[in-house]
Amino acid sequence: SKILDVMLQNPTIKIDIRSHTDSRNTAEYNERLSERRALSSKSWLIKNGIKASRLSAKGYGEYQLVNKCADGVACTEEEHQANRRSEFIIVSIQ
């Protein structure tokens, strides 16, 4: 993956993994789902050689949608898909 390549090539980068869901299902379910996604990404990076100390991870559920697709709003599958994402934010480079 691109993030793994970047982290292997730049051993001082630390990242925060921020995972999100669409608004379907309950807010509580989506919080747990996004937390599992974030931790899964973190575990995969660790398994592939990245030190855990360089990673943080958090799930944000459906609270940071990138479009209008909140509860009760009719949206296409593509619009919902845009909200199901993980962001890799550089928090420090030394």
Side-chain angles (χ1 to χ4, degrees):
S1 90
K2 290 179 184 179
I3 190 65
L4 177 61
D5 292 343
V6 168
M7 294 196 76
L8 289 171
Q9 293 168 13
N10 300 279
T12 62
I13 289 178
K14 292 184 180 181
I15 65 164
D16 183 34
I17 303 162
R18 301 175 186 179
S19 293
H20 307 270
T21 66
D22 61 33
S23 64
R24 295 181 288 188
N25 222 310
T26 66
E28 295 81 14
Y29 175 86
N30 286 334
E31 279 190 65
R32 291 190 306 272
L33 175 60
S34 65
E35 189 70 19
R36 287 193 308 271
R37 280 185 186 158
L39 293 174
S40 177
S41 294
K42 180 180 178 180
S43 294
W44 184 85
L45 287 165
I46 292 167
K47 187 175 86 176
N48 283 279
I50 304 302
K51 291 181 182 178
S53 61
R54 297 176 60 199
L55 304 167
S56 57
K58 180 168 174 46
Y60 290 87
E62 61 184 68
Y63 297 109
Q64 295 182 7
L65 301 175
V66 296
N67 56 30
K68 66 179 175 33
C69 299
D71 290 340
V73 176
C75 290
T76 66
E77 183 56 35
E78 291 77 20
E79 289 172 317
H80 283 300
Q81 178 63 43
N83 289 311
R84 296 190 301 268
R85 67 199 189 279
S86 288
E87 301 167 334
F88 299 90
I89 308 299
I90 296 172
V91 293
S92 74
I93 303 173
Q94 297 184 5

PDB file of all heavy atoms in Angstrom, residues 18-47:
ATOM      1  N   ARG A  18      -7.532   7.691  11.015  1.00  0.00           N
ATOM      2  CA  ARG A  18      -8.881   8.139  11.366  1.00  0.00           C
ATOM      3  C   ARG A  18      -9.874   7.454  10.435  1.00  0.00           C
ATOM      4  O   ARG A  18      -9.900   7.746   9.238  1.00  0.00           O
ATOM      5  CB  ARG A  18      -8.981   9.651  11.237  1.00  0.00           C
ATOM      6  CG  ARG A  18      -7.979  10.369  12.134  1.00  0.00           C
ATOM      7  CD  ARG A  18      -7.978  11.850  11.931  1.00  0.00           C
ATOM      8  NE  ARG A  18      -6.908  12.464  12.711  1.00  0.00           N
ATOM      9  CZ  ARG A  18      -6.638  13.758  12.725  1.00  0.00           C
ATOM     10  NH1 ARG A  18      -7.362  14.591  11.997  1.00  0.00           N
ATOM     11  NH2 ARG A  18      -5.647  14.218  13.466  1.00  0.00           N
ATOM     12  N   SER A  19     -10.672   6.548  10.984  1.00  0.00           N
ATOM     13  CA  SER A  19     -11.614   5.776  10.170  1.00  0.00           C
ATOM     14  C   SER A  19     -13.037   6.272  10.369  1.00  0.00           C
ATOM     15  O   SER A  19     -13.415   6.694  11.465  1.00  0.00           O
ATOM     16  CB  SER A  19     -11.511   4.295  10.511  1.00  0.00           C
ATOM     17  OG  SER A  19     -10.260   3.788  10.101  1.00  0.00           O
ATOM     18  N   HIS A  20     -13.813   6.198   9.291  1.00  0.00           N
ATOM     19  CA  HIS A  20     -15.170   6.745   9.250  1.00  0.00           C
ATOM     20  C   HIS A  20     -16.122   5.747   8.595  1.00  0.00           C
ATOM     21  O   HIS A  20     -15.692   4.885   7.832  1.00  0.00           O
ATOM     22  CB  HIS A  20     -15.181   8.043   8.440  1.00  0.00           C
ATOM     23  CG  HIS A  20     -14.180   9.047   8.909  1.00  0.00           C
ATOM     24  ND1 HIS A  20     -14.471   9.995   9.856  1.00  0.00           N
ATOM     25  CD2 HIS A  20     -12.873   9.231   8.585  1.00  0.00           C
ATOM     26  CE1 HIS A  20     -13.395  10.734  10.080  1.00  0.00           C
ATOM     27  NE2 HIS A  20     -12.413  10.290   9.318  1.00  0.00           N
ATOM     28  N   THR A  21     -17.409   5.901   8.876  1.00  0.00           N
ATOM     29  CA  THR A  21     -18.443   5.071   8.262  1.00  0.00           C
ATOM     30  C   THR A  21     -19.459   5.968   7.562  1.00  0.00           C
ATOM     31  O   THR A  21     -19.449   7.188   7.728  1.00  0.00           O
ATOM     32  CB  THR A  21     -19.199   4.234   9.321  1.00  0.00           C
ATOM     33  OG1 THR A  21     -19.937   5.125  10.165  1.00  0.00           O
ATOM     34  CG2 THR A  21     -18.254   3.380  10.150  1.00  0.00           C
ATOM     35  N   ASP A  22     -20.375   5.322   6.831  1.00  0.00           N
ATOM     36  CA  ASP A  22     -21.524   6.060   6.325  1.00  0.00           C
ATOM     37  C   ASP A  22     -22.556   6.143   7.449  1.00  0.00           C
ATOM     38  O   ASP A  22     -22.315   5.677   8.566  1.00  0.00           O
ATOM     39  CB  ASP A  22     -22.077   5.429   5.046  1.00  0.00           C
ATOM     40  CG  ASP A  22     -22.551   4.001   5.233  1.00  0.00           C
ATOM     41  OD1 ASP A  22     -23.054   3.656   6.328  1.00  0.00           O
ATOM     42  OD2 ASP A  22     -22.441   3.214   4.276  1.00  0.00           O
ATOM     43  N   SER A  23     -23.706   6.744   7.178  1.00  0.00           N
ATOM     44  CA  SER A  23     -24.700   6.971   8.233  1.00  0.00           C
ATOM     45  C   SER A  23     -25.686   5.823   8.380  1.00  0.00           C
ATOM     46  O   SER A  23     -26.570   5.883   9.240  1.00  0.00           O
ATOM     47  CB  SER A  23     -25.466   8.268   7.948  1.00  0.00           C
ATOM     48  OG  SER A  23     -26.200   8.139   6.743  1.00  0.00           O
ATOM     49  N   ARG A  24     -25.554   4.790   7.567  1.00  0.00           N
ATOM     50  CA  ARG A  24     -26.476   3.669   7.698  1.00  0.00           C
ATOM     51  C   ARG A  24     -26.138   2.873   8.956  1.00  0.00           C
ATOM     52  O   ARG A  24     -24.993   2.848   9.380  1.00  0.00           O
ATOM     53  CB  ARG A  24     -26.431   2.802   6.441  1.00  0.00           C
ATOM     54  CG  ARG A  24     -26.943   3.600   5.223  1.00  0.00           C
ATOM     55  CD  ARG A  24     -26.944   2.817   3.972  1.00  0.00           C
ATOM     56  NE  ARG A  24     -25.580   2.621   3.499  1.00  0.00           N
ATOM     57  CZ  ARG A  24     -25.279   2.088   2.324  1.00  0.00           C
ATOM     58  NH1 ARG A  24     -26.239   1.688   1.515  1.00  0.00           N
ATOM     59  NH2 ARG A  24     -24.034   1.946   1.964  1.00  0.00           N
ATOM     60  N   ASN A  25     -27.120   2.261   9.553  1.00  0.00           N
ATOM     61  CA  ASN A  25     -27.028   1.561  10.830  1.00  0.00           C
ATOM     62  C   ASN A  25     -27.035   2.594  11.954  1.00  0.00           C
ATOM     63  O   ASN A  25     -27.126   3.792  11.714  1.00  0.00           O
ATOM     64  CB  ASN A  25     -25.805   0.637  10.897  1.00  0.00           C
ATOM     65  CG  ASN A  25     -26.152  -0.698  11.548  1.00  0.00           C
ATOM     66  OD1 ASN A  25     -26.749  -0.724  12.618  1.00  0.00           O
ATOM     67  ND2 ASN A  25     -25.796  -1.787  10.886  1.00  0.00           N
ATOM     68  N   THR A  26     -26.918   2.144  13.202  1.00  0.00           N
ATOM     69  CA  THR A  26     -27.009   3.076  14.330  1.00  0.00           C
ATOM     70  C   THR A  26     -25.682   3.798  14.543  1.00  0.00           C
ATOM     71  O   THR A  26     -24.620   3.291  14.181  1.00  0.00           O
ATOM     72  CB  THR A  26     -27.387   2.344  15.627  1.00  0.00           C
ATOM     73  OG1 THR A  26     -26.316   1.469  15.990  1.00  0.00           O
ATOM     74  CG2 THR A  26     -28.679   1.559  15.482  1.00  0.00           C
ATOM     75  N   ALA A  27     -25.744   4.943  15.172  1.00  0.00           N
ATOM     76  CA  ALA A  27     -24.530   5.701  15.470  1.00  0.00           C
ATOM     77  C   ALA A  27     -23.587   4.880  16.344  1.00  0.00           C
ATOM     78  O   ALA A  27     -22.373   4.894  16.134  1.00  0.00           O
ATOM     79  CB  ALA A  27     -24.896   7.020  16.150  1.00  0.00           C
ATOM     80  N   GLU A  28     -24.143   4.146  17.316  1.00  0.00           N
ATOM     81  CA  GLU A  28     -23.313   3.335  18.206  1.00  0.00           C
ATOM     82  C   GLU A  28     -22.598   2.223  17.430  1.00  0.00           C
ATOM     83  O   GLU A  28     -21.407   1.984  17.629  1.00  0.00           O
ATOM     84  CB  GLU A  28     -24.156   2.724  19.331  1.00  0.00           C
ATOM     85  CG  GLU A  28     -24.743   3.747  20.276  1.00  0.00           C
ATOM     86  CD  GLU A  28     -26.024   4.403  19.748  1.00  0.00           C
ATOM     87  OE1 GLU A  28     -26.623   3.901  18.773  1.00  0.00           O
ATOM     88  OE2 GLU A  28     -26.410   5.451  20.310  1.00  0.00           O
ATOM     89  N   TYR A  29     -23.345   1.541  16.556  1.00  0.00           N
ATOM     90  CA  TYR A  29     -22.747   0.488  15.732  1.00  0.00           C
ATOM     91  C   TYR A  29     -21.627   1.075  14.869  1.00  0.00           C
ATOM     92  O   TYR A  29     -20.546   0.496  14.763  1.00  0.00           O
ATOM     93  CB  TYR A  29     -23.813  -0.166  14.844  1.00  0.00           C
ATOM     94  CG  TYR A  29     -23.241  -1.169  13.886  1.00  0.00           C
ATOM     95  CD1 TYR A  29     -23.033  -2.490  14.267  1.00  0.00           C
ATOM     96  CD2 TYR A  29     -22.866  -0.795  12.593  1.00  0.00           C
ATOM     97  CE1 TYR A  29     -22.484  -3.412  13.399  1.00  0.00           C
ATOM     98  CE2 TYR A  29     -22.315  -1.705  11.714  1.00  0.00           C
ATOM     99  CZ  TYR A  29     -22.132  -3.016  12.125  1.00  0.00           C
ATOM    100  OH  TYR A  29     -21.570  -3.931  11.252  1.00  0.00           O
ATOM    101  N   ASN A  30     -21.890   2.214  14.263  1.00  0.00           N
ATOM    102  CA  ASN A  30     -20.901   2.830  13.379  1.00  0.00           C
ATOM    103  C   ASN A  30     -19.654   3.279  14.130  1.00  0.00           C
ATOM    104  O   ASN A  30     -18.546   3.201  13.599  1.00  0.00           O
ATOM    105  CB  ASN A  30     -21.527   3.988  12.599  1.00  0.00           C
ATOM    106  CG  ASN A  30     -22.439   3.479  11.502  1.00  0.00           C
ATOM    107  OD1 ASN A  30     -22.269   2.376  11.003  1.00  0.00           O
ATOM    108  ND2 ASN A  30     -23.424   4.277  11.145  1.00  0.00           N
ATOM    109  N   GLU A  31     -19.808   3.727  15.372  1.00  0.00           N
ATOM    110  CA  GLU A  31     -18.630   4.076  16.172  1.00  0.00           C
ATOM    111  C   GLU A  31     -17.755   2.853  16.391  1.00  0.00           C
ATOM    112  O   GLU A  31     -16.534   2.907  16.232  1.00  0.00           O
ATOM    113  CB  GLU A  31     -19.048   4.671  17.516  1.00  0.00           C
ATOM    114  CG  GLU A  31     -19.413   6.135  17.421  1.00  0.00           C
ATOM    115  CD  GLU A  31     -19.578   6.754  18.782  1.00  0.00           C
ATOM    116  OE1 GLU A  31     -18.579   6.822  19.526  1.00  0.00           O
ATOM    117  OE2 GLU A  31     -20.707   7.173  19.090  1.00  0.00           O
ATOM    118  N   ARG A  32     -18.377   1.739  16.756  1.00  0.00           N
ATOM    119  CA  ARG A  32     -17.614   0.502  16.978  1.00  0.00           C
ATOM    120  C   ARG A  32     -16.981   0.008  15.683  1.00  0.00           C
ATOM    121  O   ARG A  32     -15.834  -0.436  15.676  1.00  0.00           O
ATOM    122  CB  ARG A  32     -18.504  -0.573  17.593  1.00  0.00           C
ATOM    123  CG  ARG A  32     -18.914  -0.277  19.033  1.00  0.00           C
ATOM    124  CD  ARG A  32     -19.587  -1.456  19.710  1.00  0.00           C
ATOM    125  NE  ARG A  32     -20.719  -1.989  18.973  1.00  0.00           N
ATOM    126  CZ  ARG A  32     -21.976  -1.564  19.079  1.00  0.00           C
ATOM    127  NH1 ARG A  32     -22.269  -0.569  19.914  1.00  0.00           N
ATOM    128  NH2 ARG A  32     -22.938  -2.107  18.369  1.00  0.00           N
ATOM    129  N   LEU A  33     -17.728   0.068  14.584  1.00  0.00           N
ATOM    130  CA  LEU A  33     -17.210  -0.367  13.285  1.00  0.00           C
ATOM    131  C   LEU A  33     -16.001   0.467  12.872  1.00  0.00           C
ATOM    132  O   LEU A  33     -14.968  -0.071  12.449  1.00  0.00           O
ATOM    133  CB  LEU A  33     -18.304  -0.261  12.225  1.00  0.00           C
ATOM    134  CG  LEU A  33     -17.905  -0.572  10.782  1.00  0.00           C
ATOM    135  CD1 LEU A  33     -17.388  -2.001  10.650  1.00  0.00           C
ATOM    136  CD2 LEU A  33     -19.083  -0.331   9.845  1.00  0.00           C
ATOM    137  N   SER A  34     -16.091   1.775  13.015  1.00  0.00           N
ATOM    138  CA  SER A  34     -14.972   2.633  12.602  1.00  0.00           C
ATOM    139  C   SER A  34     -13.761   2.419  13.504  1.00  0.00           C
ATOM    140  O   SER A  34     -12.624   2.471  13.037  1.00  0.00           O
ATOM    141  CB  SER A  34     -15.391   4.102  12.579  1.00  0.00           C
ATOM    142  OG  SER A  34     -15.715   4.569  13.871  1.00  0.00           O
ATOM    143  N   GLU A  35     -13.988   2.137  14.780  1.00  0.00           N
ATOM    144  CA  GLU A  35     -12.872   1.860  15.690  1.00  0.00           C
ATOM    145  C   GLU A  35     -12.167   0.569  15.270  1.00  0.00           C
ATOM    146  O   GLU A  35     -10.940   0.504  15.245  1.00  0.00           O
ATOM    147  CB  GLU A  35     -13.388   1.761  17.131  1.00  0.00           C
ATOM    148  CG  GLU A  35     -12.295   1.690  18.158  1.00  0.00           C
ATOM    149  CD  GLU A  35     -11.507   2.982  18.335  1.00  0.00           C
ATOM    150  OE1 GLU A  35     -11.980   4.067  17.943  1.00  0.00           O
ATOM    151  OE2 GLU A  35     -10.383   2.896  18.865  1.00  0.00           O
ATOM    152  N   ARG A  36     -12.951  -0.441  14.909  1.00  0.00           N
ATOM    153  CA  ARG A  36     -12.355  -1.700  14.428  1.00  0.00           C
ATOM    154  C   ARG A  36     -11.575  -1.474  13.141  1.00  0.00           C
ATOM    155  O   ARG A  36     -10.496  -2.040  12.958  1.00  0.00           O
ATOM    156  CB  ARG A  36     -13.436  -2.767  14.213  1.00  0.00           C
ATOM    157  CG  ARG A  36     -14.003  -3.335  15.506  1.00  0.00           C
ATOM    158  CD  ARG A  36     -14.829  -4.592  15.294  1.00  0.00           C
ATOM    159  NE  ARG A  36     -15.874  -4.462  14.295  1.00  0.00           N
ATOM    160  CZ  ARG A  36     -17.123  -4.051  14.537  1.00  0.00           C
ATOM    161  NH1 ARG A  36     -17.470  -3.692  15.762  1.00  0.00           N
ATOM    162  NH2 ARG A  36     -18.009  -3.986  13.567  1.00  0.00           N
ATOM    163  N   ARG A  37     -12.098  -0.655  12.244  1.00  0.00           N
ATOM    164  CA  ARG A  37     -11.383  -0.347  10.995  1.00  0.00           C
ATOM    165  C   ARG A  37     -10.052   0.323  11.277  1.00  0.00           C
ATOM    166  O   ARG A  37      -9.030  -0.014  10.683  1.00  0.00           O
ATOM    167  CB  ARG A  37     -12.217   0.580  10.109  1.00  0.00           C
ATOM    168  CG  ARG A  37     -13.281  -0.097   9.344  1.00  0.00           C
ATOM    169  CD  ARG A  37     -13.967   0.867   8.405  1.00  0.00           C
ATOM    170  NE  ARG A  37     -15.089   0.190   7.786  1.00  0.00           N
ATOM    171  CZ  ARG A  37     -16.138   0.798   7.253  1.00  0.00           C
ATOM    172  NH1 ARG A  37     -16.192   2.121   7.265  1.00  0.00           N
ATOM    173  NH2 ARG A  37     -17.100   0.110   6.710  1.00  0.00           N
ATOM    174  N   ALA A  38     -10.057   1.303  12.159  1.00  0.00           N
ATOM    175  CA  ALA A  38      -8.827   2.025  12.479  1.00  0.00           C
ATOM    176  C   ALA A  38      -7.797   1.085  13.102  1.00  0.00           C
ATOM    177  O   ALA A  38      -6.623   1.092  12.720  1.00  0.00           O
ATOM    178  CB  ALA A  38      -9.133   3.193  13.419  1.00  0.00           C
ATOM    179  N   LEU A  39      -8.241   0.259  14.039  1.00  0.00           N
ATOM    180  CA  LEU A  39      -7.316  -0.673  14.697  1.00  0.00           C
ATOM    181  C   LEU A  39      -6.822  -1.749  13.736  1.00  0.00           C
ATOM    182  O   LEU A  39      -5.673  -2.183  13.835  1.00  0.00           O
ATOM    183  CB  LEU A  39      -7.988  -1.297  15.919  1.00  0.00           C
ATOM    184  CG  LEU A  39      -8.265  -0.310  17.055  1.00  0.00           C
ATOM    185  CD1 LEU A  39      -9.062  -0.992  18.170  1.00  0.00           C
ATOM    186  CD2 LEU A  39      -6.992   0.313  17.588  1.00  0.00           C
ATOM    187  N   SER A  40      -7.660  -2.159  12.805  1.00  0.00           N
ATOM    188  CA  SER A  40      -7.250  -3.140  11.796  1.00  0.00           C
ATOM    189  C   SER A  40      -6.154  -2.563  10.899  1.00  0.00           C
ATOM    190  O   SER A  40      -5.166  -3.243  10.588  1.00  0.00           O
ATOM    191  CB  SER A  40      -8.459  -3.561  10.961  1.00  0.00           C
ATOM    192  OG  SER A  40      -8.078  -4.442   9.940  1.00  0.00           O
ATOM    193  N   SER A  41      -6.310  -1.319  10.493  1.00  0.00           N
ATOM    194  CA  SER A  41      -5.275  -0.662   9.679  1.00  0.00           C
ATOM    195  C   SER A  41      -3.976  -0.549  10.461  1.00  0.00           C
ATOM    196  O   SER A  41      -2.891  -0.813   9.925  1.00  0.00           O
ATOM    197  CB  SER A  41      -5.740   0.734   9.250  1.00  0.00           C
ATOM    198  OG  SER A  41      -6.838   0.645   8.375  1.00  0.00           O
ATOM    199  N   LYS A  42      -4.084  -0.171  11.723  1.00  0.00           N
ATOM    200  CA  LYS A  42      -2.893  -0.068  12.577  1.00  0.00           C
ATOM    201  C   LYS A  42      -2.206  -1.418  12.708  1.00  0.00           C
ATOM    202  O   LYS A  42      -0.981  -1.523  12.548  1.00  0.00           O
ATOM    203  CB  LYS A  42      -3.295   0.474  13.947  1.00  0.00           C
ATOM    204  CG  LYS A  42      -2.133   0.625  14.908  1.00  0.00           C
ATOM    205  CD  LYS A  42      -2.601   1.178  16.255  1.00  0.00           C
ATOM    206  CE  LYS A  42      -1.438   1.275  17.231  1.00  0.00           C
ATOM    207  NZ  LYS A  42      -1.877   1.802  18.540  1.00  0.00           N
ATOM    208  N   SER A  43      -2.974  -2.467  12.966  1.00  0.00           N
ATOM    209  CA  SER A  43      -2.406  -3.816  13.104  1.00  0.00           C
ATOM    210  C   SER A  43      -1.719  -4.264  11.824  1.00  0.00           C
ATOM    211  O   SER A  43      -0.649  -4.878  11.869  1.00  0.00           O
ATOM    212  CB  SER A  43      -3.504  -4.819  13.480  1.00  0.00           C
ATOM    213  OG  SER A  43      -4.003  -4.538  14.753  1.00  0.00           O
ATOM    214  N   TRP A  44      -2.313  -3.962  10.677  1.00  0.00           N
ATOM    215  CA  TRP A  44      -1.723  -4.350   9.397  1.00  0.00           C
ATOM    216  C   TRP A  44      -0.383  -3.664   9.195  1.00  0.00           C
ATOM    217  O   TRP A  44       0.589  -4.291   8.756  1.00  0.00           O
ATOM    218  CB  TRP A  44      -2.684  -4.018   8.258  1.00  0.00           C
ATOM    219  CG  TRP A  44      -2.182  -4.479   6.932  1.00  0.00           C
ATOM    220  CD1 TRP A  44      -2.316  -5.725   6.381  1.00  0.00           C
ATOM    221  CD2 TRP A  44      -1.421  -3.706   5.989  1.00  0.00           C
ATOM    222  NE1 TRP A  44      -1.700  -5.764   5.158  1.00  0.00           N
ATOM    223  CE2 TRP A  44      -1.138  -4.543   4.895  1.00  0.00           C
ATOM    224  CE3 TRP A  44      -0.962  -2.402   5.981  1.00  0.00           C
ATOM    225  CZ2 TRP A  44      -0.413  -4.107   3.791  1.00  0.00           C
ATOM    226  CZ3 TRP A  44      -0.240  -1.965   4.875  1.00  0.00           C
ATOM    227  CH2 TRP A  44       0.017  -2.816   3.804  1.00  0.00           C
ATOM    228  N   LEU A  45      -0.314  -2.375   9.522  1.00  0.00           N
ATOM    229  CA  LEU A  45       0.949  -1.648   9.373  1.00  0.00           C
ATOM    230  C   LEU A  45       2.016  -2.219  10.311  1.00  0.00           C
ATOM    231  O   LEU A  45       3.170  -2.392   9.908  1.00  0.00           O
ATOM    232  CB  LEU A  45       0.739  -0.158   9.626  1.00  0.00           C
ATOM    233  CG  LEU A  45       0.001   0.588   8.506  1.00  0.00           C
ATOM    234  CD1 LEU A  45      -0.480   1.946   8.982  1.00  0.00           C
ATOM    235  CD2 LEU A  45       0.894   0.724   7.277  1.00  0.00           C
ATOM    236  N   ILE A  46       1.642  -2.538  11.543  1.00  0.00           N
ATOM    237  CA  ILE A  46       2.584  -3.124  12.490  1.00  0.00           C
ATOM    238  C   ILE A  46       3.077  -4.477  11.979  1.00  0.00           C
ATOM    239  O   ILE A  46       4.277  -4.760  12.003  1.00  0.00           O
ATOM    240  CB  ILE A  46       1.936  -3.254  13.891  1.00  0.00           C
ATOM    241  CG1 ILE A  46       1.705  -1.864  14.486  1.00  0.00           C
ATOM    242  CG2 ILE A  46       2.795  -4.112  14.817  1.00  0.00           C
ATOM    243  CD1 ILE A  46       0.800  -1.858  15.718  1.00  0.00           C
ATOM    244  N   LYS A  47       2.158  -5.281  11.485  1.00  0.00           N
ATOM    245  CA  LYS A  47       2.509  -6.599  10.943  1.00  0.00           C
ATOM    246  C   LYS A  47       3.483  -6.479   9.766  1.00  0.00           C
ATOM    247  O   LYS A  47       4.287  -7.371   9.514  1.00  0.00           O
ATOM    248  CB  LYS A  47       1.233  -7.328  10.501  1.00  0.00           C
ATOM    249  CG  LYS A  47       1.463  -8.774  10.076  1.00  0.00           C
ATOM    250  CD  LYS A  47       0.150  -9.449   9.772  1.00  0.00           C
ATOM    251  CE  LYS A  47      -0.220  -9.168   8.335  1.00  0.00           C
ATOM    252  NZ  LYS A  47      -1.430  -9.860   7.896  1.00  0.00           N
TER     253      LYS A  47
END
